């Protein structure tokens, strides 16, 4: 017997495939547009949301029976804000330059619709274990899109991945640049992130016709 039951496994796989927070629910678009010009920033943001949503869902689930209905949103904001502060301080301590790159967007995790949505829609009505799986699943779905967008934007816009030159040196004209390739500077602009996300949505719906709305 596996660690996860089939019902529990769906909590992780569904947001990765047919119910992705960004491509299906169209949530968390702001960060997908703002910080995906570099793959490193995309990965760090994905890990940050994974921590905040996974732990946050568990905390809200544990408190679900004692949170007064009238102040549940305030309690949820306090929980997510506390976790975001932890993330922000860790980044400043161990990756200061990257923390400056992410700037206010780490703080904006507090208002990320995915996190508040999972608190409200799932964590308040389920036990800690299932809430944790739901948080991990949705964070992975969110992170997968961020990393995919960051991968293509940095590769095509700068010719690098994680700062390493993978297409050659544009100054010395080596690699693909020797064949006349030029970096597409438009890929580094925020509107291109929306176009890349749109292409991912198109591919996803092309592969699964059930996702196409009437």
């Amino acid at each position: 017997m596996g660690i996860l039951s089939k019902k529990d496994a769906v909590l992780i796989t569904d947001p990765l495939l047919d119910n992705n927070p960004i491509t299906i629910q169209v949530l968390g678009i702001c960060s997908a547009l703002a910080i995906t010009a570099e793959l490193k920033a995309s990965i760090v943001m994905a890990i940050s949301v994974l921590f905040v949503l996974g732990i946050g869902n568990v905390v809200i689930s544990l408190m679900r029976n004692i949170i007064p209905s009238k102040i549940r949103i305030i309690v949820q904001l306090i929980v997510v804000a506390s976790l975001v502060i932890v993330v922000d301080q860790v980044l400043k301590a161990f990756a200061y330059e990257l923390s400056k790159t992410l700037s206010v967007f780490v703080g904006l995790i507090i208002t990320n619709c995915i996190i508040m949505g999972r608190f409200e829609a799932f964590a308040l009505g389920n036990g800690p274990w299932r809430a944790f799986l739901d948080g991990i699943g949705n964070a992975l779905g969110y992170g997968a899109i961020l990393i995919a967008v960051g991968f293509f934007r940095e590769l095509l816009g700068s010719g690098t991945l994680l700062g390493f030159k993978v297409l050659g040196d544009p100054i010395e004209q080596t690699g693909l640049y020797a064949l006349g390739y030029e970096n597409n500077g438009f890929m580094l602009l925020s509107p291109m992130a929306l176009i890349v996300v749109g292409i991912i949505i198109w591919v996803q719906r092309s592969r699964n016709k059930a996702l196409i709305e009437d």
Side-chain angles (χ1 to χ4, degrees), residues 90-119:
V90 169
L91 285 177
K92 287 180 177 178
F94 298 100
Y96 183 69
E97 291 301 320
L98 187 57
S99 73
K100 291 196 297 184
T101 300
L102 293 174
S103 184
V104 298
F105 298 106
V106 171
L108 287 177
I109 293 175
I110 297 172
T111 58
N112 192 310
C113 298
I114 298 171
I115 295 175
M116 297 303 295
R118 297 326 296 168
F119 284 0

Side-chain angles (χ1 to χ4, degrees), residues 1 70 74 83 111 122 125 133 136 145 156-157 167 189-190 199-200 203:
M1 182 177 180
K70 292 183 179 180
I74 297 175
L83 293 171
T111 58
F122 198 91
L133 295 178
I136 294 299
I145 300 301
L156 300 178
L167 299 182
L189 302 178
S190 295
I199 292 173
I200 293 174
V203 171

Side-chain angles (χ1 to χ4, degrees), residues 5 9 14 33 47-48 58-59 63 67 69 75-76 94 105 111 124 138 142 157 161 165 179 181 189 196 199 204:
S5 66
D14 193 45
L33 300 181
I47 295 173
S48 299
V58 172
V59 173
M63 299 172 61
I67 300 176
S69 179
V75 173
Q76 292 169 19
F94 298 100
F105 298 106
T111 58
L124 284 174
N138 278 274
Y142 166 86
L161 286 175
K165 297 176 181 179
L179 303 176
Y181 177 81
L189 302 178
V196 175
I199 292 173
Q204 188 176 30

Side-chain angles (χ1 to χ4, degrees), residues 11 14-29 53 112-118 121 134 137-139 141-142 145 201 204-205 211 213:
L11 295 175
D14 193 45
L16 285 168
L17 302 172
D18 295 338
N19 197 26
N20 188 276
I22 293 181
T23 61
I24 304 300
Q25 301 175 40
V26 196
L27 300 174
I29 291 292
L53 187 50
N112 192 310
C113 298
I114 298 171
I115 295 175
M116 297 303 295
R118 297 326 296 168
D134 178 78
N138 278 274
Y142 166 86
I145 300 301
I201 292 174
Q204 188 176 30
R205 282 164 170 72
L211 298 176
E213 299 177 1

Side-chain angles (χ1 to χ4, degrees), residues 144-174:
I145 300 301
L146 248 65
I147 292 171
V149 174
F151 175 89
F152 288 110
R153 289 186 69 192
E154 182 177 349
L155 179 65
L156 300 178
S158 302
T160 62
L161 286 175
L162 298 176
F164 296 100
K165 297 176 181 179
V166 296
L167 299 182
D169 192 317
I171 297 178
E172 298 182 1
Q173 293 294 302
T174 60

